[in-house]
Amino acid sequence: MPKMKTNRAAAKRFKRTGTGKLVRARANKSHILTKKSRKRKRMLRQGTVVDAVRMKALERMLPYL
């Protein structure tokens, strides 16, 4: 059986935690930042765990992560 290929776009966007969950960056941090509060922009810097609904699809995209 041939090796499975990793989806390279997904590999650049997600990291695995020590407990096996996937972490992603938050959206809405790239432009139109002047109207967003300082607190909101600070919160957007932190990553967040991927929800359970998308985990199955991501596991398929990232077989070796």
Side-chain angles (χ1 to χ4, degrees), residues 6-56:
T6 297
N7 180 308
R8 298 311 296 164
K12 292 167 189 175
R13 287 168 172 80
F14 300 96
K15 288 196 175 5
R16 182 79 68 180
T17 64
T19 56
K21 295 175 185 173
L22 291 173
V23 176
R24 65 170 175 84
R26 289 181 187 268
N28 305 313
K29 187 65 170 66
S30 58
H31 62 107
I32 314 173
L33 298 172
T34 52
K35 63 175 77 171
K36 293 170 189 160
S37 70
R38 195 177 292 176
K39 181 180 179 181
R40 184 173 167 195
K41 288 185 280 192
R42 193 166 59 241
M43 295 302 176
L44 291 173
R45 281 184 219 146
Q46 301 167 0
T48 185
V49 177
V50 173
D51 57 310
V53 177
R54 291 167 182 77
M55 279 299 286
K56 190 177 179 184

